Amino acid sequence: KVNKIRMEIKHKIQFGTDSDELAKKVLTKEKIATSSLYDYYCMNLKDTIKENEYASILDSQNREICIIQITKIEIIEFQNITEFAIAEGDGNLENWQKIHTEYYSLMLEKIGKSLTGETKLLCEWFTVITR
C-alpha cells in the first residue's frame, strides 16, 4: 500500500523557517497543518494541492521524513487565523503571528506585495500516513 501511495505523491513540502524542527513536530502530531500564501498559487509560483492528495514532508537535507495526506483545505485571511495557529505547531496565536508576520512579509516583498490583515493564506490540515 505504501508503494502505491508513494507513486501518487505529487507534492513535496519543506517548511520555511526551521524545516527540521517542524518536520519533527509533524511526527509527534504537534503540527497537523501548514499554511502558504494564496498569492503564490494564484501567480503559479506554487503547485496547488487538493484534499486527499499525498505529499512528502522533507527535512533541510531534502530527505523524506514522512508521507502525509491532506484532509482539509481552507483559504483564511491573515487577520482571521485562530485555532489554526495551534494546529500549525507554533504553540499559541501570538507566537504564530510573530513568526508568520516576519516570514510572509519577506515572501510577499519578493513578489512586490505587502502583508495586510486581508492577505489570504491557503491553510492545509493533514494526517501522517507513513514514516
Side-chain angles (χ1 to χ4, degrees):
K1 182 179 176 181
V2 172
N3 287 335
K4 184 177 183 284
I5 289 171
R6 199 171 297 287
M7 291 173 57
E8 293 180 37
I9 295 173
K10 300 177 190 167
H11 308 280
K12 297 183 185 313
I13 299 172
Q14 190 173 49
F15 302 115
T17 49
D18 186 353
S19 51
D20 292 334
E21 183 62 31
L22 293 173
K24 285 179 191 168
K25 286 187 176 191
V26 170
L27 292 177
T28 62
K29 297 183 181 172
E30 284 178 77
K31 181 171 179 63
I32 58 169
T34 192
S35 63
S36 305
L37 289 166
Y38 185 64
D39 284 337
Y40 270 62
Y41 295 97
C42 294
M43 297 172 75
N44 292 320
L45 298 172
K46 202 163 184 184
D47 290 335
T48 305
I49 194 165
K50 298 177 181 77
E51 286 184 12
N52 298 315
E53 285 188 330
Y54 298 101
S56 293
I57 299 293
L58 305 178
D59 67 10
S60 62
Q61 305 299 310
N62 291 320
R63 292 178 299 222
E64 183 180 276
I65 298 300
C66 63
I67 298 171
I68 60 164
Q69 184 174 27
I70 304 301
T71 56
K72 179 180 168 185
I73 295 177
E74 277 188 304
I75 297 170
I76 304 173
E77 289 183 348
F78 190 85
Q79 66 193 356
N80 293 330
I81 294 291
T82 55
E83 81 282 346
F84 182 79
I86 308 306
E88 207 168 359
D90 291 304
N92 62 55
L93 183 58
E94 293 77 25
N95 191 47
W96 186 94
Q97 288 171 327
K98 178 181 173 285
I99 291 168
H100 289 81
T101 295
E102 292 172 21
Y103 180 69
Y104 286 140
S105 293
L106 184 65
M107 297 301 290
L108 285 163
E109 195 176 291
K110 292 179 182 179
I111 59 171
K113 297 188 178 202
S114 54
L115 182 67
T116 68
E118 290 83 35
T119 298
K120 289 184 171 91
L121 303 179
L122 187 82
C123 300
E124 308 160 24
W125 282 261
F126 53 79
T127 57
V128 175
I129 300 300
T130 184
R131 297 170 194 260

